Amino acid sequence: MTNSTSPDQRAAELRDQLHLYSHQYYVLDQPLVPDAEYDRLFRELQAIEAEHPELRSPDSPTQRVGGEPLSAFKTVRHEIPMLSLDNAFSEDELRDFDRRVRSRLADEQSFHYACEPKLDGIAASLLYVDGILVRGATRGDGQQGEDITENVRTVASVPLKLRGAGWPDELEVRGEIYLPRAGFEKINASAREAGNKLFVNPRNAAAGSLRQLDSRITASRPLEMCCYSIALRDDQQELVASHSEALEKLAQWGFLVSPLLKVVDDIDGCLAYYRDLLQQRDGLPYDIDGIVFKVDELAVQQTLGFVSRAPRWAIAHKFPAQEEMTTLKDVEFQVGRTGAVTPVAKLEPVFVGGVTVSNATLHNFDEIQRLGVMIGDQIIIRRAGDVIPQVVQVVEGKRPADARPILVPENCPVCDSPLEKPPGEAVLRCTGGLICGAQRREGIKHFASRKAMDIDGLGDKLVDQLVEAGLIETVADLFRLEASQLAELERMGQKSAENLVAALEKSKQTTLPRFLFALGIREVGEATARNLALHFTTLAALKSASEEALLAVTDVGPIVASHIHAFFAVAHNQEVIDALLAAGVHWPEIAQNVSAQPLAGQTWVLTGNLDRMTRSEAKEKLQALGAKVAGSVSAKTDCVAAGAAAGSKLKKAEELGVKVIDEEGLIAVLKQGGQL
Ligand code: IVH
């Protein structure tokens, strides 16, 4: 703080800056400054407010962290009731809705439909007076809800203070508060670790987080709010002419609105939007349970009016449910590459999340206990996004008289070796190591996979076939396969057999990080394999490294070090490695002096199409030069290499003033580093 700035001036300055940065980060997804800079300014503001408590205003960013717990929520009356929506479950029902709308309008009255996702969260109302957030409330029964002001304040995408201009003195905004899938997985992962009760789905987790009397708990949950309407008072009807215009205004004032909003001409446009979003559904970062279609023009909305609790001008077209009930018929035990035994629920097939599901994971035996599930139970299955279907709940009161408990096996279902539960771990493991057919088979699948040896055409099914036919026992056997043997396998012709032999030959030229990753050493993922390769530079040096020497590698702790050490101490592993090298597996040398890595400490982003190599090849080469290669551009990015047809990442780099080079520039950097 300079002497010429008073604490109140500086506090105001910091508040504005922090509001701007968090709007850029949480609403626009375009960070302006590194997190550390935000944290520094935040702490400076906290310090000023601690010294001058009178400067601590309710719109200060420091008020997002939660405060003293309440004893109860107050009741809030909604001046304008919070309505709900009618549902359509089929194209026919949607067309009926459109007919009803048009039948109520004069022939010449033209209108559009605004289409947007129906977010699966909790409806909330925000009230701003003179641009400052003064109240947050739940929907409740639509007439009255609960005052959750302290909790909504902690939601990073809720503006504490409006941006821009033109907002009315009193503004009520409505939207959905939800938990993105990643946040949900994170909360449940830590609850699972702590042995606490899990949330069934992101919606329940969002509801549970908002129902907290202690707003510090709410603050610890990464909730978001997407706004979908302005509750217009009688004297505010002139503010906007359409729903889409209202959303545009909300965005200008700092609210998060759906980037997927689209205005279409007619019901066929709505159906096309529905189909498009249904395709995109699994890839979205949050759950949606359908599409909301609204007549866009407010004047037309007024003509149509309401019936009981729902407007006549809007409808929710629901997607197939992501949760369904079915019967648990049996539980099987699958043995993974590392010997971990996973209980898999065998289900009465059920249509959920758009596909028919007959298997779901039960994770581990602690999870079975936590769920209290028995064979024969009615259970709830959830399938959302690309995540494997999960068993989330037992339906209480529906247990049949002949339900059987799920018995924990003592021996490996594949090789009969004893199972063990290492202290502190939830998983049960097969002690058979490579005697176990399942572990070997999974190890071979991993070895062949794209990020490992990348053996084109050698998928999981083919590995199963090769093992079953007795053609391979270890990964080294792969390189002894001959086209004539392969051609005899079911569903394999001469041509595919030759292709596979060629792909195996090609895969022999690899990199040390890929090779190390492919070995399938426990806890050694792609990043660790890379760090090990860069640190030791040769396989010989890594193999003979002591646990202590391994600890010197970035991100390697005692557990990982002991797994690596143990792996190389096993004679069989050594034999397989020797056989692989003898078969001709090789990689280019890595520069001895790591500090000579020209891109050490830099973060790069690759975007667009490259002509000379694939993006993943470019990524590997940059990493070999010491760069970290990230998936998205931020203020922390050092350089963006943009190929042809680069899109939003390039735009963002330009906005943030990040250095951008084209493919030629990239090639020059790689050549200089000896990678080409
Ligand atoms: S509009 C008068 N738009 O769905 C219209 N609602 O079943 C009121 N919802 O309680 C709601 N996404 O919580 C609207 N884009 C969206 C929505 C949405 C989710 C929820 C909302 C409402 C429920 C209605």
Side-chain angles (χ1 to χ4, degrees), residues 81-87 115-124 139 174-177 203 226-229 243 247 258 288-294 301 306 309-311 313-316 318:
M82 287 182 81
L83 302 172
S84 72
L85 293 168
D86 278 342
N87 292 320
C115 319
E116 60 199 34
K118 184 170 187 300
L119 292 155
D120 202 4
I122 308 299
R139 174 172 180 271
R174 291 173 179 176
E176 198 82 352
I177 298 185
R203 208 190 87 85
C226 179
C227 294
Y228 51 66
S229 77
H243 172 68
L247 295 194
S258 177
I288 63 176
D289 57 349
I291 303 295
V292 184
F293 299 117
K294 299 171 185 168
Q301 288 188 2
F306 302 89
R309 289 164 160 250
W313 42 263
I315 194 150
K318 300 296 277 284

Side-chain angles (χ1 to χ4, degrees), residues 57-331:
S57 59
D59 67 319
S60 173
T62 59
Q63 301 309 295
R64 285 202 191 277
V65 293
E68 289 300 309
L70 306 172
S71 51
F73 293 121
K74 285 188 299 200
T75 300
V76 167
R77 265 207 91 68
H78 299 298
E79 233 176 272
I80 303 172
M82 287 182 81
L83 302 172
S84 72
L85 293 168
D86 278 342
N87 292 320
F89 292 95
S90 64
E91 176 172 342
D92 283 350
E93 288 181 19
L94 188 67
R95 289 192 186 278
D96 286 345
F97 159 76
D98 177 56
R99 267 191 288 277
R100 284 197 302 273
V101 167
R102 283 183 291 117
S103 71
R104 289 188 162 264
L105 300 175
D107 283 346
E108 68 277 13
Q109 202 164 8
S110 81
F111 66 92
H112 298 84
Y113 283 116
C115 319
E116 60 199 34
K118 184 170 187 300
L119 292 155
D120 202 4
I122 308 299
S125 140
L126 305 174
L127 184 64
Y128 291 81
V129 174
D130 294 329
I132 305 289
L133 174 71
V134 296
R135 194 193 74 189
T138 59
R139 174 172 180 271
D141 62 5
Q143 304 296 327
Q144 49 187 39
E146 284 177 327
D147 185 327
I148 52 162
T149 311
E150 296 312 314
N151 293 348
V152 295
R153 241 194 250 294
T154 69
V155 178
S157 48
V158 168
L160 299 179
K161 187 180 169 188
L162 299 182
R163 313 188 66 75
W167 25 265
D169 300 344
E170 203 167 286
L171 173 72
E172 188 184 344
V173 175
R174 291 173 179 176
E176 198 82 352
I177 298 185
Y178 57 94
L179 193 60
R181 284 180 194 147
F184 166 69
E185 300 295 341
K186 212 169 89 188
I187 292 178
N188 264 1
S190 44
R192 188 176 278 133
E193 211 158 277
N196 292 339
K197 207 167 161 342
L198 304 197
F199 289 111
V200 167
N201 55 35
R203 208 190 87 85
N204 286 6
S209 304
L210 281 179
R211 222 179 287 120
Q212 297 293 333
L213 289 166
D214 184 346
S215 54
R216 285 168 296 198
I217 298 178
T218 317
S220 72
R221 311 271 166 84
L223 297 166
E224 285 181 7
M225 179 161 178
C226 179
C227 294
Y228 51 66
S229 77
I230 303 179
L232 292 170
R233 318 263 143 134
D234 287 341
D235 59 345
Q236 296 176 335
Q237 301 294 328
E238 305 296 301
L239 195 64
V240 287
S242 66
H243 172 68
S244 50
E245 199 192 324
L247 295 194
E248 243 170 70
K249 283 249 155 70
L250 288 177
Q252 286 163 14
W253 296 336
F255 295 92
L256 175 65
V257 296
S258 177
L260 300 170
L261 170 81
K262 188 172 176 191
V263 179
V264 300
D265 291 338
D266 53 22
I267 205 70
D268 288 316
C270 292
L271 281 160
Y273 183 91
Y274 175 89
R275 284 189 286 265
D276 183 28
L277 262 280
L278 189 53
Q279 290 285 318
Q280 288 189 46
R281 182 189 198 186
D282 280 356
L284 293 176
Y286 40 76
D287 277 6
I288 63 176
D289 57 349
I291 303 295
V292 184
F293 299 117
K294 299 171 185 168
V295 168
D296 195 33
E297 289 79 1
L298 297 196
V300 182
Q301 288 188 2
Q302 289 225 318
T303 312
L304 291 164
F306 302 89
V307 55
S308 68
R309 289 164 160 250
R312 286 203 187 90
W313 42 263
I315 194 150
H317 189 182
K318 300 296 277 284
F319 283 153
Q322 286 176 321
E323 277 161 29
E324 285 294 353
M325 195 168 76
T326 188
T327 310
L328 176 63
K329 292 200 304 190
D330 200 359
V331 173

Side-chain angles (χ1 to χ4, degrees), residues 346-361:
K346 298 283 160 185
L347 313 170
E348 187 61 49
V350 60
F351 188 73
V352 55
V355 297
T356 300
V357 166
S358 39
N359 295 316
T361 181

